[in-house]
Amino acid sequence: MKFILHVWRQAGPKAQGAFSVYEATGISGDMSFLEMMDVVNESLIEHGEQPVAFDHDCREGICGACGMMINGIAHGPMRATATCQLFMRHFEDGDTIYVEPWRARAFPVIKDLVVDRSAFDRVIAAGGYITAATGGARDANNILVAKTDADDAMDAAACIGCGACVAACPNGSASLFAGAKVTHLGVLPQGQAERRQRVLRMIAQMDEEGFGGCTWHGECHEACPKAISLDVISRMNADYLRALWAMRDEKQEQGAG
Amino acid sequence: MSTALDARIPGGPIAEKWNRHKFEMKLVNPANKRKHTVLVVGSGLAGASAAASLAELGYQVKCFCFQDSPRRAHSIAAQGGINAAKNYQNDGDSIYRLFYDTVKGGDFRSREANVFRLAETSLNIIDQCVAQGVPFAREYGGLLANRSFGGAQVSRTFYARGQTGQQLLLGAYQALERQVGLGRLRMYPRTEMLDLVVIDGRARGIVVRDLVTGAVASHAADVVVLATGGYGNVFYLSTNAKGSNCTAIWRAYKRGAGFANPCYTQIHPTCIPQSGDHQSKLTLMSESLRNDGRVWVPKKKGDARPPNQIPEAERDYYLERKYPSFGNLSPRDIASRAAKEVCDEGRGVGPGGRGVYLDFADAIKRLGVETIRERYGNLFEMYERITAENPYTVPMRIYPAVHYTMGGLWVDYNLMSTVPGLHVAGEANFSDHGANRLGASALMQGLADGYFVIPYTVGDYIGSAKLERADESHPAFRDAERGVAERTARLLAIDGTRTVDSFHRELGKVMWDYCGMARNEKGLTYALGRIPEIRAEFWTNVDVPGSADELNQALEKAGRVADFLELGELICRDALERRESCGAHFREEYQTPDGEALRDDEHFAHVAVWQYRGEDRTPERLQEPLEFENVHLSQRSYK
Amino acid sequence: MAGSQPAALGVGPTNRVRLFWRSTVGKKIVMSVTGLIMVGFVLLHMIGNLQIFEGAARINAYSHFLHHTINELLWLVRVVLLVSVVLHIVAAIQLTRIDRAARPVAYRRREPQAATVASRSMRWGGLALALFIVFHVLHLTTGTIQPVPFAPGDVYANVMGGFRIWWVTLIYVLAMIALGLHIFHGAWSSIRTLGVNRPKAEPLRRPVAALVAVILWAGFSVVPVAVFFGWVR
């Protein structure tokens, strides 16, 4: 098969970017989208040009490194599929394909299709965890978790942190990402002690990073390689209201004797 | 000179060693911990858990990963589960049984004391992970669920759907990010370690390259922990992530750390076969498929008929034929070798003839399509997504693929390498798995090392070594930085005609053909001649575009492949010198009359440790003798 | 921004309101609550309007009841509505600016997968409704705009006169389409923003919001249309 690619090229974070047009030839339907990009890159190198930079690693849809806007759709036309698991057989021979990086203020472009998603790490660092000092945990079966709660937690925890939700959202909102973590930890009994702090801190950090707000277009859910439900955003908001309501001044710790 | 290495195994009965050792280890005063810097390279299960735990103890911790976020380390891709001797199912499991299974599964090439500690700490791992909120599968009553896994007769595997590795890693990652948020740990993503700095015989820091700006920088420390994963990508095609590499451990090797058992590379029997030369990686399918699928190939060579037109009488269910009692459930190494054998005979199926059928037609007839969908629905979907074939109607095609490397840097009982101050954790060390790893044990080892061993033994090292202050102004750092910059400049200056990938593919093919599932002296000797030739061509004819001071993925790849080109040779050398078959290492010359691995305990019950001696000299092969006081040496049989 | 520590959270009831208003989620919650108040109001308003089909006496009596019998309550409602409208609009403007800033570089190609006409027209539709409300108040409440001479207290006459004029009717009909769309998305998303919905398998389905939107659209549109075509006597 053969494709005409319009790929966003940008030499560096501050450089001016533009689309370059490449022809991808000799592509088989069994190639993944990234393997097609590999072919393009090999030929660019052979022609003395710089290959297109893009993030990728596991190539089995779980690490969350890859992600491109393919013909205006985050991760391309297949639902619940990361770019590395998108195969060329889903395109028509001769198709023109636009390839763009994730676009968001919080995800500045580093080079070509590579963006900086460290904002997600900072949202997690702000509160997306359960404090559990290493060692000294009680026996695992002392904590009972209803199967339905464990399933809900797992559904939300499946997030791979790829950023497609932000990329697809017309507002550049990270609500699905943050909501997934708030839900994962918030439905488990282990996560209750920090539940209020967690949601307040994560939302404050999310805003600080420059993500937009949620207006319920539902684009994030459609783009998500793990098809995480919009319900996680509702849960996050409900938790937020409750946390704000119950908010108190922290007591100063008194020095001991 | 044949020095025997001292693993510094504590005395006493096996069940008491670790506890006794923990008591005997030196402690570091809480107020002094913050005066000590620990560098953790790698942020997978072992690295993230070690970094988080050390930061929590109060050390100054810096953690490095080449990915854009620590959450992407390849531990994330582990599917099946994690073993722990909890005996929640009351089916007779115990620490001792997990220990026994692991030693036996490793074909008696692992260190008993380490394996016992691993089994012991497996209990704490599950507790720790549940406390962190890892959403393990649950029974309706709210208790943890278990499944059974290859190589064990008890149900001791904990799992989170097919994403156990992901969930465990996210637990460790969140603990790590918490320390980042508290300001106790500094994370350096998109940063690659390119050299180890050794001062006065001790590891005192690393040199890294910022992958975004290309800046080369030094970090001094009191302890360096390498948790950089395995080197399966030396085969080019493997189930590893594209970025997985051997660079950190290889540079440490060249700075004096011994490399143990490099030839122990595990090949997983159920992967999706290669569909063409463009293939960039292989995808693993859970081994559980072999519970209901029947493996076969046509009896006739080059039979190109579609599978459903090949009558029953013309099919060869070779696993059932050769191993009547275990049949399709034969262990990984045996099933893999058998598949290679039939494909070598020209009876393989699919493009390129490198594949065998895994047929569910009988199971569907017997159990109904619904039952099969319930059991394997998600795997069938994954298979169809990749191959566009429907496994409910057309038999799956599978082929073995490189999956895990048991070898790695040699470490003593404290997980310290032969370079004092350099600790190695997870798949990067030569590990507790001997010559073969059992399913669901990699996650266990990574977390055991990171949460429960490294935090103690690093403290012991700091507490007992009288460390002079070292900082980045030391000339050793300047030298290392210069070395890194020169090497980078050299790669960029070659300006040849071949891409990095083409060399990587060529190396991979040599490794796979001559040092893959079955090895022999002739092939290994050939590979030992061929690899230096490829390497020589690489250094004169590779084309690395771009510059050193920008994000340059071709340059990153070139550096990694350059290291693989050296490691590949060491793997073949190790495979050649180990004149026996054991676990994943199968030498055709050493097999029983019916084709099983034939160990030579008299001459090879030891760890082979390779010591670097300089660019043009063959490395020295040292030994750590293995003693089996608790599990008695016996021959594995799966007939 | 890169490499910075997560923002410290000043906690304490003293800055709770500020914290709330500062966050995108807080602003969304303000929009939800004020939006739902307005939905409640327009439902009552619509029911009131439909009395026109029972004749002049009935609708004028209702108007008298509102303006004289429960005048204080009417003013209270007006204040609540005014505050709601102002908060709704201020939050909307601020959120729009935040959202626009969140994507400084637009995509060359963009293919929406789930967004609806309703969800994508919230901002322009909202602006249109705001303008319409001004027009509507000036037309039928204060009588400032007089397409036909305004008779204070005689709702029936004002309505019958105004909606005989084609462009007045057209404005109302178009505005009610905007209202229906705004509520189709807004009522549903308000419930989700407040997090009081039950989790469900198909999160984009919204039968209740759709019903409310259709009722409001039809209930409001029927009056000007019926008057225009002479179906109301």
Side-chain angles (χ1 to χ4, degrees):
Chain A
M1 288 198 277
K2 200 172 97 175
F3 301 97
I4 308 293
L5 301 181
H6 293 250
V7 183
W8 180 260
R9 301 304 305 264
Q10 183 174 335
K14 297 205 171 74
Q16 188 78 31
F19 283 91
S20 290
V21 184
Y22 303 114
E23 197 166 286
T25 51
I27 304 300
S28 110
D30 288 330
M31 287 185 189
S32 70
F33 198 87
L34 298 186
E35 285 168 346
M36 188 268 297
M37 294 298 291
D38 289 343
V39 170
V40 171
N41 276 345
E42 288 274 283
S43 89
L44 283 176
I45 295 173
E46 277 158 14
H47 289 88
E49 287 180 59
Q50 282 248 31
V52 179
F54 59 90
D55 269 324
H56 65 102
D57 203 19
C58 78
R59 297 206 177 187
E60 43 190 273
I62 193 76
C63 78
C66 68
M68 303 171 184
M69 210 68 181
I70 298 167
N71 274 342
I73 307 173
H75 288 307
M78 301 297 285
R79 288 202 66 206
T81 301
T83 303
C84 62
Q85 292 293 291
L86 172 66
F87 285 82
M88 295 315 292
R89 65 180 79 96
H90 302 299
F91 292 85
E92 297 289 326
D93 192 8
D95 271 359
T96 296
I97 304 173
Y98 279 82
V99 187
E100 298 178 67
W102 291 164
R103 297 267 186 218
R105 180 159 80 107
F107 290 171
V109 172
I110 293 175
K111 185 178 183 179
D112 297 341
L113 305 174
V114 176
V115 299
D116 178 359
R117 285 168 292 195
S118 55
F120 271 7
D121 291 328
R122 291 189 291 276
V123 170
I124 296 296
Y129 48 76
I130 291 172
T131 297
T134 306
R138 58 183 160 155
D139 186 87
N141 257 351
N142 273 336
I143 303 169
L144 294 182
V145 181
K147 189 173 184 308
T148 46
D149 287 343
D151 287 345
D152 284 353
M154 184 60 218
D155 284 341
C159 168
I160 61 175
C162 62
C165 46
V166 175
C169 176
N171 308 321
S173 170
S175 295
L176 196 73
F177 170 78
K181 192 47 66 190
V182 166
T183 301
H184 160 208
L185 301 177
V187 297
L188 292 173
Q190 304 93 299
Q192 297 313 306
E194 288 162 300
R195 187 169 172 181
R196 294 177 195 153
Q197 278 297 305
R198 178 183 309 123
V199 69
L200 292 175
R201 285 175 182 276
M202 287 180 73
I203 286 176
Q205 187 64 32
M206 188 170 85
D207 289 342
E208 175 84 16
E209 297 289 346
F211 292 108
C214 171
T215 54
W216 299 101
H217 289 291
E219 292 289 333
C220 52
H221 166 73
E222 288 298 312
C224 178
K226 296 291 165 190
I228 288 173
S229 166
L230 293 177
D231 290 327
V232 300
I233 305 177
S234 306
R235 281 197 203 248
M236 173 172 76
N237 288 1
D239 271 14
Y240 179 77
L241 265 179
R242 247 177 260 140
L244 209 64
W245 186 251
M247 205 158 144
R248 311 229 196 306
D249 275 322
E250 276 177 40
K251 293 212 170 59
Q252 290 294 314
E253 258 184 62
Q254 304 291 318
Chain B
M1 186 180 76
S2 170
T3 333
L5 286 157
D6 180 11
R8 302 204 290 163
I9 298 166
I14 193 139
E16 286 167 28
K17 284 180 196 290
W18 178 233
N19 265 332
R20 183 182 291 192
H21 189 57
K22 276 197 284 191
F23 176 72
E24 286 167 357
M25 278 191 277
K26 293 275 191 304
L27 298 176
V28 181
N29 176 329
N32 283 340
K33 286 197 179 104
R34 64 188 147 78
K35 296 180 189 157
H36 295 282
T37 304
V38 182
L39 307 180
V40 179
V41 186
S43 64
L45 285 183
S49 58
S53 304
L54 288 164
E56 193 174 75
L57 285 171
Y59 297 104
Q60 298 286 333
V61 180
K62 297 178 182 179
C63 182
F64 304 82
C65 70
F66 72 82
Q67 297 92 340
D68 72 316
S69 161
R71 67 179 291 153
R72 309 210 195 280
H74 194 53
S75 306
I76 204 153
Q79 298 170 359
I82 177 165
N83 285 333
K86 280 286 195 188
N87 193 30
Y88 282 158
Q89 307 307 322
N90 196 30
D91 54 1
D93 199 7
S94 63
I95 291 172
Y96 201 88
R97 188 176 294 281
L98 177 54
F99 157 68
Y100 179 90
D101 287 351
T102 307
V103 171
K104 182 174 171 229
D107 215 1
F108 304 94
R109 289 295 175 263
S110 46
R111 194 188 288 151
E112 274 192 343
N114 281 52
V115 178
F116 196 90
R117 177 178 64 191
L118 175 67
E120 225 178 326
T121 45
S122 70
L123 311 182
N124 307 86
I125 294 171
I126 300 304
D127 299 343
Q128 179 66 28
C129 293
V130 165
Q132 285 173 344
V134 170
F136 284 123
R138 298 273 170 172
E139 308 286 358
Y140 279 99
L143 296 171
L144 287 154
N146 288 120
R147 59 163 67 137
S148 54
F149 222 79
Q153 287 157 307
V154 290
S155 250
R156 62 159 78 103
T157 305
F158 295 78
Y159 61 100
R161 298 212 182 126
Q163 288 141 267
T164 316
Q166 180 199 26
Q167 294 310 316
L168 294 174
L169 181 63
L170 292 182
Y173 157 75
Q174 286 160 204
L176 178 138
E177 288 296 342
R178 175 170 172 266
Q179 298 298 327
V180 172
L182 294 170
R184 296 179 191 156
L185 189 156
R186 183 95 197 258
M187 188 68 219
Y188 294 82
R190 292 198 197 269
T191 304
E192 182 163 30
M193 168 181 157
L194 291 180
D195 208 352
L196 177 76
V197 176
V198 180
I199 300 173
D200 298 333
R202 295 179 186 276
R204 294 312 300 262
I206 61 173
V207 172
V208 298
R209 179 171 178 269
D210 180 326
L211 299 181
V212 175
T213 64
V216 173
S218 292
H219 295 271
D222 300 304
V223 175
V224 176
V225 180
L226 297 188
T228 53
Y231 50 86
N233 272 347
V234 69
F235 291 86
Y236 184 66
L237 284 180
S238 79
T239 64
N240 283 7
K242 290 298 284 177
S244 301
N245 66 80
C246 72
T247 290
I249 55 171
W250 193 249
R251 301 304 162 87
Y253 163 74
K254 293 180 110 176
R255 292 282 179 188
F259 205 122
N261 299 334
C263 77
Y264 291 165
T265 52
Q266 188 174 63
I267 307 224
H268 195 288
T270 51
C271 298
I272 300 177
Q274 200 178 343
S275 67
D277 290 335
H278 57 266
Q279 188 109 6
S280 60
K281 77 154 276 160
L282 297 168
T283 303
L284 185 109
M285 305 277 290
S286 170
E287 231 174 327
S288 61
L289 288 169
R290 290 198 283 145
N291 287 327
D292 285 307
R294 295 181 71 196
V295 177
W296 65 275
V297 289
K299 282 186 176 163
K300 222 166 47 189
K301 279 183 194 180
D303 193 336
R305 287 174 292 176
N308 51 13
Q309 286 174 23
I310 300 177
E312 204 57 35
E314 293 175 40
R315 299 177 175 192
D316 179 13
Y317 294 89
Y318 59 90
L319 282 177
E320 298 170 22
R321 173 168 60 78
K322 287 186 186 168
Y323 308 98
S325 66
F326 271 72
N328 296 301
L329 287 173
S330 308
R332 285 181 179 178
D333 48 345
I334 289 174
S336 296
R337 269 200 308 280
K340 176 180 156 46
E341 226 166 80
V342 295
C343 292
D344 286 347
E345 289 166 16
R347 298 194 287 143
V349 298
R354 306 311 291 184
V356 299
Y357 289 124
L358 179 62
D359 198 338
F360 289 85
D362 284 355
I364 289 173
K365 215 178 291 165
R366 191 175 73 243
L367 304 162
V369 77
E370 270 322 302
T371 311
I372 294 298
R373 196 187 307 278
E374 236 168 67
R375 286 186 191 168
Y376 309 112
N378 55 340
L379 293 168
F380 278 31
E381 245 172 65
M382 180 168 97
Y383 180 84
E384 190 171 357
R385 188 195 289 270
I386 293 173
T387 63
E389 287 177 0
N390 177 359
Y392 293 100
T393 54
V394 183
M396 275 186 181
R397 286 174 298 111
I398 56 165
Y399 199 63
V402 176
H403 168 58
Y404 186 88
T405 53
M406 281 74 67
L409 292 185
W410 183 87
V411 287
D412 65 11
Y413 188 73
N414 284 340
L415 301 186
M416 190 160 82
S417 71
T418 52
V419 176
L422 177 70
H423 291 68
V424 191
E427 193 180 345
N429 69 26
F430 87 108
S431 89
D432 309 339
H433 307 297
N436 180 48
R437 181 178 63 75
L438 292 180
S441 283
L443 301 181
M444 172 171 71
Q445 186 226 336
L447 290 178
D449 289 0
Y451 281 129
F452 299 112
V453 182
I454 287 285
Y456 289 94
T457 59
V458 161
D460 180 45
Y461 172 76
I462 290 174
S464 45
K466 300 242 175 321
L467 294 166
E468 311 243 322
R469 272 201 66 79
D471 59 35
E472 288 86 354
S473 62
H474 193 283
F477 282 99
R478 291 291 84 72
D479 289 349
E481 282 178 20
R482 201 173 316 120
V484 165
E486 276 168 13
R487 187 179 149 97
T488 304
R490 206 176 137 205
L491 282 169
L492 289 166
I494 298 166
D495 200 22
T497 58
R498 285 180 61 186
T499 62
V500 175
D501 274 345
S502 76
F503 284 103
H504 197 176
R505 270 190 218 109
E506 194 179 353
L507 169 70
K509 188 153 171 22
V510 171
M511 292 300 297
W512 181 247
D513 287 348
Y514 302 106
C515 198
M517 280 177 275
R519 301 148 175 189
N520 59 48
E521 183 161 354
K522 193 169 151 240
L524 290 167
T525 312
Y526 170 77
L528 281 170
R530 184 73 194 112
I531 294 169
E533 289 168 17
I534 303 173
R535 192 166 63 227
E537 197 197 337
F538 175 87
W539 282 103
T540 50
N541 194 28
V542 74
D543 179 12
V544 184
S547 69
D549 49 7
E550 61 176 336
L551 177 76
N552 187 341
Q553 292 173 325
L555 176 64
E556 295 165 25
K557 242 193 295 196
R560 293 168 193 165
V561 170
D563 290 334
F564 280 135
L565 282 164
E566 296 177 9
L567 170 63
E569 189 183 338
L570 186 70
I571 295 174
C572 293
R573 191 173 304 283
D574 187 45
L576 181 66
E577 292 299 324
R578 186 166 284 280
R579 294 172 205 283
E580 64 159 352
S581 294
C582 59
H585 171 63
F586 187 79
R587 281 285 298 266
E588 285 165 354
E589 303 94 319
Y590 308 102
Q591 50 179 309
T592 61
D594 38 15
E596 301 308 328
L598 186 62
R599 281 199 330 260
D600 178 353
D601 292 332
E602 196 189 326
H603 299 101
F604 288 98
H606 63 244
V607 180
V609 185
W610 296 89
Q611 192 74 44
Y612 183 71
R613 293 195 293 182
E615 212 59 63
D616 334 303
R617 297 181 61 195
T618 322
E620 187 183 6
R621 187 180 192 270
L622 308 179
Q623 294 181 12
E624 178 205 335
L626 294 170
E627 274 152 41
F628 295 89
E629 291 164 354
N630 298 277
V631 186
H632 291 290
L633 290 161
S634 64
Q635 156 114 43
R636 295 192 307 167
S637 171
Y638 297 94
K639 286 271 162 180
Chain C
M1 210 163 47
S4 66
Q5 300 295 328
L9 198 69
V11 280
T14 38
N15 62 17
R16 177 156 43 180
V17 174
R18 228 185 59 201
L19 190 70
F20 175 73
W21 179 251
R22 215 171 51 191
S23 82
T24 50
V25 177
K27 288 192 214 293
K28 285 301 295 186
I29 288 169
V30 167
M31 289 192 69
S32 304
V33 172
T34 53
L36 290 173
I37 288 171
M38 290 188 277
V39 170
F41 166 75
V42 290
L43 270 170
L44 292 175
H45 187 355
M46 180 199 75
I47 293 165
N49 287 1
L50 292 174
Q51 296 176 65
I52 198 150
F53 291 102
E54 306 210 353
R58 180 64 189 261
I59 188 94
N60 283 346
Y62 173 62
S63 168
H64 186 85
F65 168 76
L66 290 179
H67 285 97
H68 299 281
T69 318
I70 56 160
N71 191 31
E72 292 82 0
L73 187 65
L74 180 70
W75 275 104
L76 184 69
V77 169
R78 281 174 169 166
V79 169
V80 170
L81 281 176
L82 188 68
V83 171
S84 295
V85 168
V86 169
L87 284 174
H88 198 81
I89 291 175
V90 171
I93 290 171
Q94 293 188 351
L95 279 168
T96 302
R97 291 171 64 168
I98 291 171
D99 294 348
R100 295 241 161 106
R103 170 145 314 124
V105 182
Y107 290 108
R108 165 75 65 92
R109 275 196 69 178
R110 183 82 189 87
E111 297 291 334
Q113 299 298 295
T116 57
V117 173
S119 76
R120 292 200 281 164
S121 64
M122 288 304 276
R123 282 168 189 154
W124 290 112
L127 180 65
L129 283 174
L131 295 174
F132 167 74
I133 289 166
V134 174
F135 169 79
H136 171 59
V137 168
L138 293 177
H139 172 213
L140 286 178
T141 308
T142 63
T144 319
I145 298 173
Q146 300 195 13
V148 292
F150 186 76
D154 192 350
V155 177
Y156 183 81
N158 292 334
V159 168
M160 295 300 280
F163 293 148
R164 291 251 158 81
I165 300 164
W166 69 270
W167 57 269
V168 174
T169 304
L170 186 66
I171 287 174
Y172 274 81
V173 166
L174 290 177
M176 287 313 108
I177 292 173
L179 179 75
L181 285 174
H182 205 76
I183 286 174
F184 174 70
H185 186 73
W188 167 78
S189 68
S190 296
I191 297 297
R192 299 198 68 96
T193 294
L194 295 173
V196 291
N197 57 299
R198 283 180 51 77
K200 56 183 175 184
E202 289 173 76
L204 291 171
R205 280 194 61 233
R206 58 192 89 169
V208 177
L211 188 68
V212 171
V214 166
I215 287 173
L216 284 171
W217 166 74
F220 275 120
S221 301
V222 72
V223 174
V225 168
V227 171
F228 185 76
F229 289 106
W231 300 333
V232 182
R233 269 169 293 128

